[in-house]
Amino acid sequence: QVQLMESGGGSVQAGGSLRLSCAASGYDFKEKCVGWLRRAPGKEREVVAAIYTGGTSAYIADSVKGRFTISEDNAKNTLYLHMNMLKPEDTAMYYCAAINGFVAETRCTGGLPLADFFYKGQGTQVTVSS
């Protein structure tokens, strides 16, 4: 059974930083497309970042480019989202997500559609105050 467990959310002031972690169990991290989604109040869920584990590149949404980075620790089956210079509009529930099966690295880091992320965690709340 695949389980994705997020942690690291919280409340910060604008300009602050947070690091989200996602521990995966029952899921082989090797050469997979994994990422972070978010759903802001009143908005649709969106893909924030994605990475091909063991690869060399990542996808970062335009809305967070230059502020967020994604990384992974294959040995620990753990995914991270490093969030800097947080803005109030980053307030959202953040979800760890992973595909079911395999996709090419170029497809993963080129902007994989939201629907392709089959597995999702329960989410961790990030609240940014102005």
Side-chain angles (χ1 to χ4, degrees):
Q1 182 179 356
V2 175
Q3 288 192 323
L4 304 174
M5 184 68 71
E6 304 95 339
S7 61
S11 297
V12 294
Q13 289 193 322
S17 298
L18 283 174
R19 187 185 76 164
L20 305 184
S21 299
C22 171
S25 60
Y27 186 81
D28 183 0
F29 238 49
K30 186 179 180 181
E31 296 177 343
K32 292 287 178 63
C33 188
V34 293
W36 291 92
L37 319 177
R38 73 180 181 185
R39 174 174 280 164
K43 294 188 177 181
E44 296 293 319
R45 191 177 285 182
E46 62 174 337
V47 180
V48 177
I51 191 168
Y52 188 82
T53 55
T56 58
S57 59
Y59 166 82
I60 303 292
D62 287 343
S63 56
V64 302
K65 198 165 289 183
R67 301 186 297 118
F68 290 14
T69 58
I70 185 172
S71 65
E72 44 94 5
D73 186 332
N74 246 340
K76 296 181 179 179
N77 263 23
T78 301
L79 183 68
Y80 303 99
L81 184 66
H82 309 265
M83 306 186 295
N84 300 308
M85 296 181 286
L86 283 159
K87 303 177 180 180
E89 51 263 44
D90 295 319
T91 294
M93 185 70 81
Y94 284 74
Y95 302 88
C96 178
I99 66 163
N100 182 18
F102 296 90
V103 296
E105 179 175 359
T106 51
R107 184 158 182 254
C108 174
T109 58
L112 201 65
L114 184 66
D116 284 9
F117 288 96
F118 183 81
Y119 299 109
K120 302 175 191 66
Q122 292 297 307
T124 185
Q125 178 68 37
V126 171
T127 303
V128 185
S129 58
S130 57

mmCIF file of all heavy atoms in Angstrom, residues 77-117:
data_model
loop_
_atom_site.group_PDB
_atom_site.id
_atom_site.type_symbol
_atom_site.label_atom_id
_atom_site.label_comp_id
_atom_site.label_asym_id
_atom_site.label_seq_id
_atom_site.Cartn_x
_atom_site.Cartn_y
_atom_site.Cartn_z
ATOM 1 N N ASN A 77 13.799 7.564 0.581
ATOM 2 C CA ASN A 77 12.459 7.636 -0.016
ATOM 3 C C ASN A 77 11.720 8.889 0.455
ATOM 4 O O ASN A 77 10.550 8.828 0.836
ATOM 5 C CB ASN A 77 11.635 6.399 0.337
ATOM 6 C CG ASN A 77 11.677 5.363 -0.770
ATOM 7 O OD1 ASN A 77 12.595 5.344 -1.586
ATOM 8 N ND2 ASN A 77 10.687 4.506 -0.798
ATOM 9 N N THR A 78 12.440 10.008 0.408
ATOM 10 C CA THR A 78 11.888 11.252 0.936
ATOM 11 C C THR A 78 12.009 12.353 -0.102
ATOM 12 O O THR A 78 13.022 12.477 -0.784
ATOM 13 C CB THR A 78 12.601 11.661 2.234
ATOM 14 O OG1 THR A 78 12.449 10.612 3.193
ATOM 15 C CG2 THR A 78 12.010 12.936 2.801
ATOM 16 N N LEU A 79 10.955 13.143 -0.182
ATOM 17 C CA LEU A 79 10.878 14.274 -1.098
ATOM 18 C C LEU A 79 10.779 15.549 -0.282
ATOM 19 O O LEU A 79 10.160 15.552 0.781
ATOM 20 C CB LEU A 79 9.655 14.116 -1.990
ATOM 21 C CG LEU A 79 9.413 15.151 -3.067
ATOM 22 C CD1 LEU A 79 10.483 15.050 -4.151
ATOM 23 C CD2 LEU A 79 8.024 14.963 -3.668
ATOM 24 N N TYR A 80 11.390 16.609 -0.785
ATOM 25 C CA TYR A 80 11.377 17.885 -0.084
ATOM 26 C C TYR A 80 10.892 19.010 -0.992
ATOM 27 O O TYR A 80 11.083 18.970 -2.207
ATOM 28 C CB TYR A 80 12.784 18.240 0.406
ATOM 29 C CG TYR A 80 13.408 17.206 1.306
ATOM 30 C CD1 TYR A 80 14.315 16.274 0.806
ATOM 31 C CD2 TYR A 80 13.084 17.151 2.664
ATOM 32 C CE1 TYR A 80 14.888 15.310 1.622
ATOM 33 C CE2 TYR A 80 13.650 16.198 3.487
ATOM 34 C CZ TYR A 80 14.558 15.274 2.963
ATOM 35 O OH TYR A 80 15.109 14.331 3.781
ATOM 36 N N LEU A 81 10.300 20.009 -0.372
ATOM 37 C CA LEU A 81 9.985 21.251 -1.070
ATOM 38 C C LEU A 81 10.529 22.380 -0.207
ATOM 39 O O LEU A 81 10.083 22.578 0.913
ATOM 40 C CB LEU A 81 8.477 21.419 -1.278
ATOM 41 C CG LEU A 81 8.068 22.651 -2.086
ATOM 42 C CD1 LEU A 81 8.552 22.534 -3.535
ATOM 43 C CD2 LEU A 81 6.557 22.872 -2.044
ATOM 44 N N HIS A 82 11.495 23.086 -0.754
ATOM 45 C CA HIS A 82 12.124 24.186 -0.045
ATOM 46 C C HIS A 82 11.460 25.477 -0.518
ATOM 47 O O HIS A 82 11.543 25.820 -1.700
ATOM 48 C CB HIS A 82 13.624 24.230 -0.356
ATOM 49 C CG HIS A 82 14.317 22.916 -0.175
ATOM 50 N ND1 HIS A 82 14.969 22.575 0.989
ATOM 51 C CD2 HIS A 82 14.441 21.849 -1.008
ATOM 52 C CE1 HIS A 82 15.492 21.366 0.865
ATOM 53 N NE2 HIS A 82 15.183 20.898 -0.337
ATOM 54 N N MET A 83 10.820 26.151 0.408
ATOM 55 C CA MET A 83 10.045 27.336 0.061
ATOM 56 C C MET A 83 10.663 28.558 0.721
ATOM 57 O O MET A 83 10.738 28.635 1.947
ATOM 58 C CB MET A 83 8.600 27.159 0.514
ATOM 59 C CG MET A 83 7.955 25.880 -0.019
ATOM 60 S SD MET A 83 6.201 25.769 0.372
ATOM 61 C CE MET A 83 6.266 25.649 2.141
ATOM 62 N N ASN A 84 11.087 29.494 -0.102
ATOM 63 C CA ASN A 84 11.699 30.735 0.382
ATOM 64 C C ASN A 84 10.901 31.925 -0.101
ATOM 65 O O ASN A 84 10.115 31.816 -1.052
ATOM 66 C CB ASN A 84 13.144 30.831 -0.111
ATOM 67 C CG ASN A 84 14.006 29.690 0.375
ATOM 68 O OD1 ASN A 84 14.049 29.399 1.563
ATOM 69 N ND2 ASN A 84 14.708 29.032 -0.538
ATOM 70 N N MET A 85 11.127 33.050 0.524
ATOM 71 C CA MET A 85 10.444 34.302 0.151
ATOM 72 C C MET A 85 8.942 34.070 0.001
ATOM 73 O O MET A 85 8.336 34.455 -0.994
ATOM 74 C CB MET A 85 11.052 34.869 -1.130
ATOM 75 C CG MET A 85 12.506 35.283 -0.962
ATOM 76 S SD MET A 85 13.206 35.977 -2.475
ATOM 77 C CE MET A 85 13.401 34.500 -3.475
ATOM 78 N N LEU A 86 8.362 33.434 0.981
ATOM 79 C CA LEU A 86 6.949 33.089 0.918
ATOM 80 C C LEU A 86 6.072 34.330 0.862
ATOM 81 O O LEU A 86 6.387 35.369 1.468
ATOM 82 C CB LEU A 86 6.570 32.215 2.113
ATOM 83 C CG LEU A 86 7.018 30.750 1.981
ATOM 84 C CD1 LEU A 86 7.078 30.080 3.343
ATOM 85 C CD2 LEU A 86 6.074 30.008 1.041
ATOM 86 N N LYS A 87 4.989 34.186 0.113
ATOM 87 C CA LYS A 87 4.024 35.269 -0.065
ATOM 88 C C LYS A 87 2.666 34.808 0.462
ATOM 89 O O LYS A 87 2.389 33.602 0.493
ATOM 90 C CB LYS A 87 3.900 35.611 -1.548
ATOM 91 C CG LYS A 87 5.201 36.001 -2.221
ATOM 92 C CD LYS A 87 4.982 36.239 -3.710
ATOM 93 C CE LYS A 87 6.263 36.630 -4.413
ATOM 94 N NZ LYS A 87 6.039 36.862 -5.863
ATOM 95 N N PRO A 88 1.799 35.754 0.810
ATOM 96 C CA PRO A 88 0.450 35.356 1.257
ATOM 97 C C PRO A 88 -0.269 34.478 0.229
ATOM 98 O O PRO A 88 -1.036 33.585 0.619
ATOM 99 C CB PRO A 88 -0.242 36.701 1.448
ATOM 100 C CG PRO A 88 0.866 37.635 1.821
ATOM 101 C CD PRO A 88 2.036 37.193 0.982
ATOM 102 N N GLU A 89 -0.018 34.693 -1.039
ATOM 103 C CA GLU A 89 -0.689 33.880 -2.064
ATOM 104 C C GLU A 89 -0.165 32.450 -2.141
ATOM 105 O O GLU A 89 -0.707 31.629 -2.874
ATOM 106 C CB GLU A 89 -0.577 34.542 -3.453
ATOM 107 C CG GLU A 89 0.833 34.946 -3.854
ATOM 108 C CD GLU A 89 1.105 36.417 -3.579
ATOM 109 O OE1 GLU A 89 0.733 36.915 -2.477
ATOM 110 O OE2 GLU A 89 1.717 37.074 -4.457
ATOM 111 N N ASP A 90 0.877 32.143 -1.378
ATOM 112 C CA ASP A 90 1.343 30.759 -1.272
ATOM 113 C C ASP A 90 0.550 29.971 -0.235
ATOM 114 O O ASP A 90 0.739 28.754 -0.094
ATOM 115 C CB ASP A 90 2.825 30.718 -0.894
ATOM 116 C CG ASP A 90 3.734 31.298 -1.959
ATOM 117 O OD1 ASP A 90 3.494 31.036 -3.151
ATOM 118 O OD2 ASP A 90 4.681 32.026 -1.594
ATOM 119 N N THR A 91 -0.329 30.644 0.488
ATOM 120 C CA THR A 91 -1.168 29.971 1.472
ATOM 121 C C THR A 91 -2.011 28.916 0.779
ATOM 122 O O THR A 91 -2.752 29.212 -0.167
ATOM 123 C CB THR A 91 -2.073 30.990 2.184
ATOM 124 O OG1 THR A 91 -1.248 31.874 2.948
ATOM 125 C CG2 THR A 91 -3.064 30.278 3.096
ATOM 126 N N ALA A 92 -1.878 27.675 1.229
ATOM 127 C CA ALA A 92 -2.565 26.559 0.577
ATOM 128 C C ALA A 92 -2.314 25.287 1.367
ATOM 129 O O ALA A 92 -1.447 25.232 2.251
ATOM 130 C CB ALA A 92 -2.050 26.378 -0.858
ATOM 131 N N MET A 93 -3.055 24.271 1.006
ATOM 132 C CA MET A 93 -2.751 22.918 1.467
ATOM 133 C C MET A 93 -1.796 22.326 0.436
ATOM 134 O O MET A 93 -2.088 22.359 -0.759
ATOM 135 C CB MET A 93 -4.015 22.077 1.550
ATOM 136 C CG MET A 93 -3.798 20.694 2.143
ATOM 137 S SD MET A 93 -3.430 20.754 3.905
ATOM 138 C CE MET A 93 -5.099 20.941 4.548
ATOM 139 N N TYR A 94 -0.685 21.817 0.904
ATOM 140 C CA TYR A 94 0.324 21.258 0.021
ATOM 141 C C TYR A 94 0.312 19.735 0.120
ATOM 142 O O TYR A 94 0.303 19.169 1.216
ATOM 143 C CB TYR A 94 1.705 21.795 0.390
ATOM 144 C CG TYR A 94 1.919 23.216 -0.065
ATOM 145 C CD1 TYR A 94 1.292 24.276 0.588
ATOM 146 C CD2 TYR A 94 2.722 23.514 -1.160
ATOM 147 C CE1 TYR A 94 1.461 25.581 0.166
ATOM 148 C CE2 TYR A 94 2.905 24.823 -1.588
ATOM 149 C CZ TYR A 94 2.270 25.845 -0.928
ATOM 150 O OH TYR A 94 2.441 27.139 -1.354
ATOM 151 N N TYR A 95 0.325 19.104 -1.042
ATOM 152 C CA TYR A 95 0.238 17.655 -1.109
ATOM 153 C C TYR A 95 1.464 17.076 -1.810
ATOM 154 O O TYR A 95 1.875 17.559 -2.856
ATOM 155 C CB TYR A 95 -0.990 17.224 -1.906
ATOM 156 C CG TYR A 95 -2.304 17.738 -1.377
ATOM 157 C CD1 TYR A 95 -2.805 18.975 -1.772
ATOM 158 C CD2 TYR A 95 -3.060 16.974 -0.484
ATOM 159 C CE1 TYR A 95 -4.007 19.449 -1.294
ATOM 160 C CE2 TYR A 95 -4.274 17.439 -0.005
ATOM 161 C CZ TYR A 95 -4.737 18.675 -0.410
ATOM 162 O OH TYR A 95 -5.935 19.138 0.072
ATOM 163 N N CYS A 96 1.975 16.026 -1.238
ATOM 164 C CA CYS A 96 2.993 15.238 -1.903
ATOM 165 C C CYS A 96 2.275 14.330 -2.898
ATOM 166 O O CYS A 96 1.176 13.827 -2.610
ATOM 167 C CB CYS A 96 3.734 14.406 -0.850
ATOM 168 S SG CYS A 96 4.998 13.323 -1.498
ATOM 169 N N ALA A 97 2.876 14.108 -4.060
ATOM 170 C CA ALA A 97 2.203 13.310 -5.081
ATOM 171 C C ALA A 97 3.211 12.487 -5.868
ATOM 172 O O ALA A 97 4.379 12.867 -5.999
ATOM 173 C CB ALA A 97 1.417 14.224 -6.029
ATOM 174 N N ALA A 98 2.727 11.394 -6.406
ATOM 175 C CA ALA A 98 3.596 10.501 -7.173
ATOM 176 C C ALA A 98 2.792 9.815 -8.269
ATOM 177 O O ALA A 98 1.583 9.614 -8.129
ATOM 178 C CB ALA A 98 4.223 9.460 -6.250
ATOM 179 N N ILE A 99 3.485 9.457 -9.331
ATOM 180 C CA ILE A 99 2.798 8.786 -10.428
ATOM 181 C C ILE A 99 2.685 7.296 -10.147
ATOM 182 O O ILE A 99 3.372 6.747 -9.292
ATOM 183 C CB ILE A 99 3.532 9.000 -11.765
ATOM 184 C CG1 ILE A 99 4.911 8.317 -11.727
ATOM 185 C CG2 ILE A 99 3.645 10.470 -12.088
ATOM 186 C CD1 ILE A 99 5.516 8.134 -13.095
ATOM 187 N N ASN A 100 1.826 6.650 -10.878
ATOM 188 C CA ASN A 100 1.678 5.202 -10.836
ATOM 189 C C ASN A 100 2.272 4.673 -12.135
ATOM 190 O O ASN A 100 1.676 4.819 -13.190
ATOM 191 C CB ASN A 100 0.209 4.830 -10.723
ATOM 192 C CG ASN A 100 0.012 3.342 -10.632
ATOM 193 O OD1 ASN A 100 0.933 2.598 -10.323
ATOM 194 N ND2 ASN A 100 -1.196 2.884 -10.896
ATOM 195 N N GLY A 101 3.478 4.089 -12.054
ATOM 196 C CA GLY A 101 4.118 3.608 -13.267
ATOM 197 C C GLY A 101 5.332 4.452 -13.600
ATOM 198 O O GLY A 101 5.969 5.014 -12.719
ATOM 199 N N PHE A 102 5.645 4.544 -14.883
ATOM 200 C CA PHE A 102 6.848 5.247 -15.320
ATOM 201 C C PHE A 102 6.516 6.260 -16.403
ATOM 202 O O PHE A 102 5.656 6.025 -17.236
ATOM 203 C CB PHE A 102 7.878 4.247 -15.863
ATOM 204 C CG PHE A 102 8.388 3.285 -14.824
ATOM 205 C CD1 PHE A 102 7.757 2.073 -14.608
ATOM 206 C CD2 PHE A 102 9.485 3.601 -14.041
ATOM 207 C CE1 PHE A 102 8.215 1.184 -13.646
ATOM 208 C CE2 PHE A 102 9.949 2.722 -13.077
ATOM 209 C CZ PHE A 102 9.314 1.506 -12.879
ATOM 210 N N VAL A 103 7.237 7.383 -16.357
ATOM 211 C CA VAL A 103 7.202 8.341 -17.443
ATOM 212 C C VAL A 103 8.631 8.775 -17.708
ATOM 213 O O VAL A 103 9.491 8.656 -16.844
ATOM 214 C CB VAL A 103 6.346 9.588 -17.122
ATOM 215 C CG1 VAL A 103 4.903 9.208 -16.928
ATOM 216 C CG2 VAL A 103 6.894 10.340 -15.919
ATOM 217 N N ALA A 104 8.879 9.259 -18.895
ATOM 218 C CA ALA A 104 10.210 9.736 -19.225
ATOM 219 C C ALA A 104 10.535 10.981 -18.413
ATOM 220 O O ALA A 104 9.640 11.755 -18.048
ATOM 221 C CB ALA A 104 10.293 10.058 -20.717
ATOM 222 N N GLU A 105 11.808 11.167 -18.139
ATOM 223 C CA GLU A 105 12.229 12.323 -17.348
ATOM 224 C C GLU A 105 11.786 13.622 -18.018
ATOM 225 O O GLU A 105 11.330 14.553 -17.356
ATOM 226 C CB GLU A 105 13.749 12.321 -17.167
ATOM 227 C CG GLU A 105 14.254 13.516 -16.361
ATOM 228 C CD GLU A 105 15.742 13.457 -16.087
ATOM 229 O OE1 GLU A 105 16.403 12.487 -16.504
ATOM 230 O OE2 GLU A 105 16.250 14.391 -15.419
ATOM 231 N N THR A 106 11.915 13.684 -19.325
ATOM 232 C CA THR A 106 11.547 14.921 -20.024
ATOM 233 C C THR A 106 10.077 15.243 -19.854
ATOM 234 O O THR A 106 9.688 16.411 -19.766
ATOM 235 C CB THR A 106 11.892 14.814 -21.519
ATOM 236 O OG1 THR A 106 11.329 13.606 -22.038
ATOM 237 C CG2 THR A 106 13.390 14.805 -21.733
ATOM 238 N N ARG A 107 9.249 14.209 -19.829
ATOM 239 C CA ARG A 107 7.815 14.443 -19.635
ATOM 240 C C ARG A 107 7.546 14.894 -18.207
ATOM 241 O O ARG A 107 6.716 15.777 -17.977
ATOM 242 C CB ARG A 107 7.026 13.180 -19.956
ATOM 243 C CG ARG A 107 5.530 13.383 -19.869
ATOM 244 C CD ARG A 107 4.758 12.363 -20.672
ATOM 245 N NE ARG A 107 3.328 12.643 -20.584
ATOM 246 C CZ ARG A 107 2.488 11.922 -19.871
ATOM 247 N NH1 ARG A 107 2.917 10.895 -19.171
ATOM 248 N NH2 ARG A 107 1.211 12.233 -19.832
ATOM 249 N N CYS A 108 8.223 14.293 -17.265
ATOM 250 C CA CYS A 108 8.042 14.652 -15.852
ATOM 251 C C CYS A 108 8.421 16.103 -15.608
ATOM 252 O O CYS A 108 7.666 16.853 -14.992
ATOM 253 C CB CYS A 108 8.890 13.730 -14.982
ATOM 254 S SG CYS A 108 8.901 14.143 -13.220
ATOM 255 N N THR A 109 9.573 16.500 -16.101
ATOM 256 C CA THR A 109 10.070 17.836 -15.795
ATOM 257 C C THR A 109 9.603 18.874 -16.800
ATOM 258 O O THR A 109 9.917 20.055 -16.670
ATOM 259 C CB THR A 109 11.602 17.834 -15.718
ATOM 260 O OG1 THR A 109 12.139 17.361 -16.966
ATOM 261 C CG2 THR A 109 12.071 16.924 -14.604
ATOM 262 N N GLY A 110 8.831 18.432 -17.790
ATOM 263 C CA GLY A 110 8.269 19.373 -18.758
ATOM 264 C C GLY A 110 6.911 19.897 -18.341
ATOM 265 O O GLY A 110 6.334 20.734 -19.035
ATOM 266 N N GLY A 111 6.433 19.397 -17.207
ATOM 267 C CA GLY A 111 5.126 19.851 -16.752
ATOM 268 C C GLY A 111 4.077 18.761 -16.883
ATOM 269 O O GLY A 111 3.194 18.830 -17.727
ATOM 270 N N LEU A 112 4.161 17.772 -16.020
ATOM 271 C CA LEU A 112 3.220 16.657 -16.075
ATOM 272 C C LEU A 112 1.837 17.129 -15.635
ATOM 273 O O LEU A 112 1.714 17.881 -14.674
ATOM 274 C CB LEU A 112 3.721 15.552 -15.146
ATOM 275 C CG LEU A 112 3.209 14.144 -15.388
ATOM 276 C CD1 LEU A 112 3.684 13.634 -16.725
ATOM 277 C CD2 LEU A 112 3.683 13.231 -14.268
ATOM 278 N N PRO A 113 0.795 16.713 -16.344
ATOM 279 C CA PRO A 113 -0.559 17.130 -15.953
ATOM 280 C C PRO A 113 -0.916 16.675 -14.536
ATOM 281 O O PRO A 113 -0.474 15.622 -14.077
ATOM 282 C CB PRO A 113 -1.451 16.439 -16.985
ATOM 283 C CG PRO A 113 -0.565 16.171 -18.150
ATOM 284 C CD PRO A 113 0.786 15.908 -17.572
ATOM 285 N N LEU A 114 -1.731 17.448 -13.896
ATOM 286 C CA LEU A 114 -2.170 17.153 -12.538
ATOM 287 C C LEU A 114 -2.750 15.753 -12.430
ATOM 288 O O LEU A 114 -2.486 15.027 -11.474
ATOM 289 C CB LEU A 114 -3.205 18.203 -12.138
ATOM 290 C CG LEU A 114 -3.743 18.174 -10.726
ATOM 291 C CD1 LEU A 114 -2.655 18.503 -9.729
ATOM 292 C CD2 LEU A 114 -4.909 19.153 -10.589
ATOM 293 N N ALA A 115 -3.530 15.355 -13.420
ATOM 294 C CA ALA A 115 -4.232 14.073 -13.367
ATOM 295 C C ALA A 115 -3.285 12.875 -13.374
ATOM 296 O O ALA A 115 -3.684 11.775 -13.005
ATOM 297 C CB ALA A 115 -5.203 13.963 -14.533
ATOM 298 N N ASP A 116 -2.049 13.085 -13.804
ATOM 299 C CA ASP A 116 -1.098 11.972 -13.874
ATOM 300 C C ASP A 116 -0.519 11.620 -12.506
ATOM 301 O O ASP A 116 0.115 10.577 -12.357
ATOM 302 C CB ASP A 116 0.031 12.307 -14.847
ATOM 303 C CG ASP A 116 -0.418 12.193 -16.296
ATOM 304 O OD1 ASP A 116 -1.634 12.017 -16.527
ATOM 305 O OD2 ASP A 116 0.425 12.297 -17.199
ATOM 306 N N PHE A 117 -0.704 12.483 -11.546
ATOM 307 C CA PHE A 117 -0.210 12.195 -10.194
ATOM 308 C C PHE A 117 -1.266 11.360 -9.471
ATOM 309 O O PHE A 117 -2.202 11.883 -8.893
ATOM 310 C CB PHE A 117 0.106 13.476 -9.441
ATOM 311 C CG PHE A 117 1.343 14.155 -9.954
ATOM 312 C CD1 PHE A 117 1.257 15.179 -10.889
ATOM 313 C CD2 PHE A 117 2.597 13.753 -9.528
ATOM 314 C CE1 PHE A 117 2.396 15.800 -11.377
ATOM 315 C CE2 PHE A 117 3.751 14.369 -10.007
ATOM 316 C CZ PHE A 117 3.645 15.390 -10.940
#
